Amino acid sequence: MKVVIIGQGYVGLNLSIMASNNHKVVGFDINESLVANLNLAKSHIEGITEEDLVRAKSCGYRASSDPGELTDAEIVVISVPTPLDENRQPDMSFIESACMNIAKHCQISALIVNESTSYPGTVRNYIKPLIESNQKVEILHSYAVAPERVDPGNKRWNLENTPRLVSGLDSIATTKAKEFYSEFCVDVIEVTSPEVAEAAKLFENTFRQVNIALVNEFAKVTNKLGISVYETLNAADSKPYGFMKFQPSLGVGGHCIPVDPSYLAHIGRQFGVETRFINLANETNLAMPIYVAQRVRSDLGGKLNGLQILVLGVSYKSDVADVRETPSSILISELKRLGAEVKWHDPVVAHWNNEDSAPIATVDAIVIAQMHQEFLSLPLNRYSNYIFDCTGKFPTQHSL
Ligand SMILES: NC(=O)c1ccc[n+]([C@@H]2O[C@H](COP(=O)([O-])OP(=O)(O)OC[C@H]3O[C@@H](n4cnc5c(N)ncnc54)[C@H](O)[C@@H]3O)[C@@H](O)[C@H]2O)c1
């Protein structure tokens, strides 16, 4: 079949590689330089190698910025960003633009699957009506949802072995979607409606966000009590049931954990339910970098004016280059606001905010915001007498 995957980012490119084993896949993306690079087998996604792209190309995969590719598509998958707008409300503009292209260009009846994370009811009440109301000639498509759960950098769980939730607006769509995903996912789970799959995806990430906020709040309490949060969590984790350990951190980042719960809050509000846990978790996690900056200031005598601080690791996750929504951004701004001269070092990210990663040099303080594997062997104590660790992986008396 001809499969067009709209959006060739973390989600869409991984899917394209897998689907190209069985289908003629076109990866459609509005970013022309990204498309050109993909066609040269140059990957922008960790975990996808040149060999993967060469192999996919030999099976017929190609990238394109031409929406005309949708004309004869039999399966279309939407995997475009679903961020928040300036008011932290769902920004549906990318899905909207994908739908407009489908409405305008798809000429045969296709299976339309949404993989972009969004609120329950998106496929039924947003995507389908938007496509149908913008078609010049009526073409009846089938609609389904199959939320992606990829965890970038996770060596154990990947697109293939992570169970996939699937549901269509009708039984034909469900059957077609199950057939498609069963080709490369070992466990495809059918749920009774797209809304269940959409809500489950949001709840998974909300669960993480709320528990991360809870443990971050707990770390503030243990710090005041003068006990180690890590030892206390390990002690609690010895209970063989009813407890799941989350690590304290500088906060949450990436495209999912800081964003998806607000999609759940949005639909809750539309139905008159105020999701107070989500709001509180957002607030708590967003305040962590401020808390860390204040701890550093207090440890260093109450003033940061003129002190040189190096922030180590600025991506939101260990050994991943993704800096979207990274809490390091707030940390750096806050340290600067408090008067420090701040540089950052992150060879995994290398370039960020129009700056290159600074070399490690002697400074007044180092804040380990994110621990990449290669930092573990660095002799950090040689560069500063004061090291604050937000990761629980560096032995120092200054930590969360
Ligand atoms: N990254 C993750 O770990 C992850 C995990 C699960 C779910 N998701 C969800 O999957 C969706 C995609 O996320 P991602 O991380 O792949 O995003 P991404 O930013 O890595 O990639 C999105 C791609 O879509 C392209 N794009 C934007 N608008 C387009 C349009 N109208 N037509 C064609 N291409 C367009 C962009 O140029 C970009 O290359 C989001 O809803 C996200 O929440 C992401």
Side-chain angles (χ1 to χ4, degrees):
M1 281 195 270
K2 179 170 183 185
V3 178
V4 175
I5 297 174
I6 305 183
Q8 291 293 279
Y10 282 84
V11 169
L13 189 57
N14 271 302
L15 178 70
S16 299
I17 300 285
M18 296 306 283
S20 63
N21 287 328
N22 298 292
H23 303 284
K24 215 174 90 190
V25 175
V26 177
F28 170 69
D29 202 292
I30 48 173
N31 182 335
E32 288 178 9
S33 65
L34 184 151
V35 164
N37 279 333
L38 288 176
N39 284 329
L40 293 170
K42 287 189 192 155
S43 167
H44 59 296
I45 303 290
E46 285 131 38
I48 296 183
T49 61
E50 188 177 335
E51 292 74 56
D52 292 330
L53 283 167
V54 168
R55 192 198 43 74
K57 281 179 73 172
S58 71
C59 297
Y61 167 78
R62 65 201 153 80
S64 172
S65 287
D66 176 9
E69 290 288 356
L70 288 159
T71 310
D72 53 351
E74 292 156 277
I75 297 180
V76 178
V77 181
I78 302 172
S79 50
V80 295
T82 42
L84 299 175
D85 64 18
E86 61 280 7
N87 300 315
R88 296 193 69 78
Q89 296 300 310
D91 174 357
M92 300 295 280
S93 59
F94 300 92
I95 293 195
E96 181 186 349
S97 132
C99 289
M100 296 307 273
N101 270 331
I102 293 170
K104 205 165 150 201
H105 295 282
C106 283
Q107 299 295 323
I108 58 172
S109 177
L111 170 68
I112 316 282
V113 185
N114 183 37
E115 284 209 17
S116 291
T117 307
S118 186
Y119 52 82
T122 295
V123 168
R124 192 186 304 276
N125 303 324
Y126 186 90
I127 290 179
K128 180 172 185 273
L130 189 59
I131 292 174
E132 289 182 346
S133 61
N134 284 285
Q135 288 174 327
K136 288 217 173 74
V137 182
E138 188 187 37
I139 296 159
L140 290 177
H141 299 302
S142 301
Y143 294 87
V145 65
E148 170 58 275
R149 294 160 145 177
V150 70
D151 180 17
N154 193 323
K155 304 248 181 314
R156 176 160 180 224
W157 296 106
N158 51 40
L159 193 154
E160 218 173 340
N161 63 8
T162 305
R164 173 74 69 152
L165 301 178
V166 167
S167 189
L169 283 182
D170 56 39
S171 59
I172 294 174
T174 303
T175 305
K176 283 185 184 169
K178 270 172 66 182
E179 271 170 23
F180 177 60
Y181 283 95
S182 297
E183 287 164 1
F184 46 87
C185 295
V186 288
D187 192 6
V188 176
I189 301 170
E190 177 185 338
V191 292
T192 55
S193 71
E195 286 76 13
V196 171
E198 290 164 327
K201 167 73 196 176
L202 292 186
F203 189 68
E204 289 157 19
N205 284 348
T206 302
F207 174 83
R208 284 187 61 72
Q209 186 219 37
V210 168
N211 278 287
I212 291 168
L214 180 64
V215 79
N216 279 338
E217 187 176 73
F218 183 59
K220 292 183 187 174
V221 177
T222 51
N223 175 252
K224 286 287 181 199
L225 293 174
I227 58 175
S228 157
V229 69
Y230 302 107
E231 187 187 354
T232 314
L233 289 170
N234 285 340
D237 199 31
S238 64
K239 185 179 174 183
Y241 54 91
F243 181 77
M244 185 182 283
K245 191 166 86 165
F246 282 79
Q247 295 288 351
S249 61
L250 185 60
V252 292
H255 193 331
C256 298
I257 310 294
V259 173
D260 299 353
S262 296
Y263 276 70
L264 190 56
H266 162 84
I267 198 75
R269 246 188 330 273
Q270 288 207 336
F271 284 83
V273 180
E274 203 56 44
T275 51
R276 289 190 292 153
F277 275 102
I278 294 175
N279 304 345
L280 194 57
N282 267 331
E283 217 177 274
T284 308
N285 287 328
L286 282 170
M288 279 310 281
I290 311 285
Y291 167 76
V292 168
Q294 284 165 355
R295 286 271 310 274
V296 172
R297 180 176 61 170
S298 142
D299 289 348
L300 295 175
K303 276 196 177 152
L304 293 183
N305 284 40
L307 294 189
Q308 294 188 326
I309 299 183
L310 183 72
V311 172
L312 205 62
V314 293
S315 64
Y316 85 93
K317 195 174 184 185
S318 169
D319 297 317
V320 165
D322 197 343
V323 285
R324 289 177 294 183
E325 308 270 336
T326 177
S328 285
S329 178
I330 303 177
L331 174 69
I332 291 171
S333 304
E334 183 62 7
L335 291 171
K336 283 184 178 167
R337 196 186 68 77
L338 295 174
E341 287 170 26
V342 188
K343 293 206 162 124
W344 59 271
H345 173 78
D346 192 324
V348 179
V349 171
H351 190 80
W352 175 51
N353 279 349
N354 299 322
E355 281 177 14
D356 289 331
S357 166
I360 304 190
T362 305
V363 284
D364 298 302
I366 293 176
V367 180
I368 306 174
Q370 191 55 258
M371 185 62 92
H372 297 313
Q373 199 62 32
E374 61 186 274
F375 293 163
L376 289 168
S377 53
L378 287 179
L380 292 181
N381 291 314
R382 272 196 222 154
Y383 297 102
S384 185
N385 293 329
Y386 176 87
I387 298 176
F388 187 99
D389 177 40
C390 303
T391 69
K393 293 182 183 143
F394 185 83
T396 170
Q397 49 177 327
H398 308 289
S399 62
L400 288 175

